[in-house]
Amino acid sequence: MIPAVIFAYLAACTAVGLWAIRRSRDGRDFFLAGRGLGLPTAVLATMSSIMSGFVFVGGPGLFNSVGLASFWIVISSSFTGAMMCWLLAKPLQGLAAHSGCLSIPDVINARFGCRFSSGAASVAILIGVVGYLGTQLLALGILLGPILGISQESGLLVGGSVLALYTVCGGMWAAVKTDVLQGLVMLTCAVAIFCFALYTGGGLGHISETIVRHSPSTLSPWGSVGLFTAQSWFFLFAVGSLGQPHVIQKFMMVRDLSVLRHFPWILALSMMICGLTWLGGGMITKYLAITGQLHFSKPDDAMSTFLVGVAPSWLTGLTYAGILSAIMSTADSLSNIGSAALTRDLPAAIGLKVQSRLIGARVVTLVIFALAGLFALYMESLVAYLGVLAFGVFASALTPVLALGLNWDRPNRWASRSSIVFGVASCVVFEALSRMGLYNLRLSPAALSLALSFLVFILAGLFLAKEVQHEVES
Amino acid sequence: MIYLLGASFVLFVISGILELELLFLLSLVTAIASLAGLRCPAKGALLAFWFCVGSVLTFLLYAWPGNALIFGLPVPALVMLAGIWIAPLFIWPLAFTRGFKRWVNKR
């Protein structure tokens, strides 16, 4: 039954993608889905881009490892949508509608009039895309291989091919249309897992009591990681979400601002429903492990062991479809922004003529998939490192210039240059030091990098603007 | 608001490095609220958010490691989920919807 569900799901994604080919006629269609998103599509596309496979597999695993503290990663989902709307929606939608911007580096160039900043943002995006996409493809292979009874490499090839097919052919049109389907599957799956978890464990009270009796720190707010790490996750994901290009680019795709009136609370509700997987999956696997009913060698295996060993086959099939949806919906948006960075933003930044034909964007999307797939297959540890790095790089490099830069007139091109370069460099260095065991702070490296990058932008905005203005005047 | 944002980031970094817990939590919530405050037309919603999240974080900092369960969860866990996960849904997203016209018409 499970392979049948997965085949049906993959076939549905392919059909939606092929249907969307006719809709992709120019760059606006390919990169911004024709700028015609309504409320339901915008909400589901944004939600499914934010919620990657990590929420369904890594989240419950992390819950098993560090306890409720892991939930600080997704706890801000109730209010980040409103922050995004207040700070980013109007300028991004306006720049897409009136200045012809098709990508986030385009927006940075339009705001600061600086090709260097736009190019640096493109490089940051490419670093993040390779890491993110590589991890998503790797997860696809790990998931599909055992289900379809093939090797991990073949699983990656099958899943990656379906993903590449609809993304290359239909661009962002196909991505957002499949995101709607994928978002609905994810929501159904999250509710089903949560309800089944409560049913299996005999209710929330019984599960909690058992966990607290055997491992009191698991359900404490700071878990086993402590206050500073837990709160730096909260800060990083609450504020850093404003710099995730594959998410905020959705604001450039909405039909007009009136679409957004009810966007924040519907987005918040849908993300909170998805977050139930983290909570329900994490608690039930911990409970079953404590009571000796579930055995897994490492925390990341908790969810898959639970699905194979405990869940009924309909739920296992649905959950695998949900995980596939989460992986694919994040990966399709990432490949599209990577393609925009390589075909438009980087060439423009170094003064080359930008190709307006779609064939270039399609070929580059395919190349990005091939590269990320090769990385995932042959450089697994590098991909894992880049995957960890990706969110932080996006956050540190792009959040200050977008969240602050689009809402504060004073900073000039020097502020954007210094903040982007500092954001990327500090994030890479801090994460590298952390991996080498030379970073001893309890504050997470990416959170520190994000806060410092904000400070660089604010200081440069306050002081550098005047000095440069003096230079120009003199 | 920019100065408040800058000051809260400075305090966030310093308190994070020196491990000053209360200052760290309050600078964190101030940074988030003042960032939203750059464009949020509802100052009441900003204050409500700051008060709600700030007081929950402060409570969690000084909360007893209680094992008492309410609604099936230990008290600190329940306060964390209710105060930071669920309550803000009724503050900022609803404030955005209520103040939508003012936000759209503001240049």
Side-chain angles (χ1 to χ4, degrees), chain A residues 108-179:
Chain A
I108 291 172
N109 193 22
R111 160 64 181 87
F112 296 99
C114 176
R115 289 196 312 198
F116 178 85
S117 299
S118 166
S122 309
V123 171
I125 286 173
L126 282 174
I127 293 172
V129 163
V130 171
Y132 244 137
L133 197 57
T135 46
Q136 300 299 315
L137 289 178
L138 195 61
L140 210 54
I142 292 170
L143 193 74
L144 277 180
I147 300 174
L148 303 179
I150 51 180
S151 67
Q152 183 182 320
E153 291 78 8
S154 309
L156 189 151
L157 204 63
V158 171
S161 302
V162 171
L163 195 55
L165 179 70
Y166 77 76
T167 316
V168 168
C169 295
M172 197 49 98
W173 253 118
V176 294
K177 293 300 172 193
T178 49
D179 282 355

Side-chain angles (χ1 to χ4, degrees), chain A residues 30-61:
Chain A
F30 194 83
F31 295 118
L32 293 183
R35 287 204 317 99
L37 300 198
L39 177 64
T41 321
V43 167
L44 285 169
T46 309
M47 184 274 288
S48 52
S49 304
I50 298 175
M51 297 291 179
S52 67
F54 186 77
V55 173
F56 287 80
V57 183

Side-chain angles (χ1 to χ4, degrees), chain A residues 1 7 55 84 102 108 138 166 180 246 331 338 378 398 432 461 469:
Chain A
M1 183 182 174
F7 272 121
V55 173
M84 283 180 195
L102 294 181
I108 291 172
L138 195 61
Y166 77 76
V180 171
H246 57 300
Y378 299 110
L398 302 177
Q469 189 64 34

Side-chain angles (χ1 to χ4, degrees), chain A residues 101-244:
Chain A
C101 293
L102 294 181
S103 63
I104 295 300
D106 263 355
V107 167
I108 291 172
N109 193 22
R111 160 64 181 87
F112 296 99
C114 176
R115 289 196 312 198
F116 178 85
S117 299
S118 166
S122 309
V123 171
I125 286 173
L126 282 174
I127 293 172
V129 163
V130 171
Y132 244 137
L133 197 57
T135 46
Q136 300 299 315
L137 289 178
L138 195 61
L140 210 54
I142 292 170
L143 193 74
L144 277 180
I147 300 174
L148 303 179
I150 51 180
S151 67
Q152 183 182 320
E153 291 78 8
S154 309
L156 189 151
L157 204 63
V158 171
S161 302
V162 171
L163 195 55
L165 179 70
Y166 77 76
T167 316
V168 168
C169 295
M172 197 49 98
W173 253 118
V176 294
K177 293 300 172 193
T178 49
D179 282 355
V180 171
L181 170 73
Q182 289 157 348
L184 292 172
V185 173
M186 286 160 69
L187 289 172
T188 314
C189 163
V191 172
I193 288 180
F194 189 71
C195 294
F196 182 73
L198 293 188
Y199 170 74
T200 309
L204 191 59
H206 184 241
I207 298 172
S208 298
E209 249 176 53
T210 311
I211 294 176
V212 168
R213 205 167 45 243
H214 288 84
S215 167
S217 70
T218 300
L219 287 182
S220 78
W222 319 132
S224 61
V225 292
L227 179 149
F228 289 95
T229 305
Q231 288 310 296
S232 47
W233 287 343
F234 177 44
F235 169 76
L236 178 66
F237 286 88
V239 177
S241 298
L242 304 176
Q244 302 303 306

Side-chain angles (χ1 to χ4, degrees), chain A residues 8 19 31 42 57 89 99 117 120 131 155 212 219 254 278 305 339 349 361 370-372 408 414 417 426 460:
Chain A
W19 169 80
F31 295 118
V57 183
S99 305
S117 299
V212 168
L219 287 182
V254 294
W278 192 301
T305 316
S339 167
L371 276 179
W408 182 28
W414 292 100
R417 286 175 182 179
S426 62

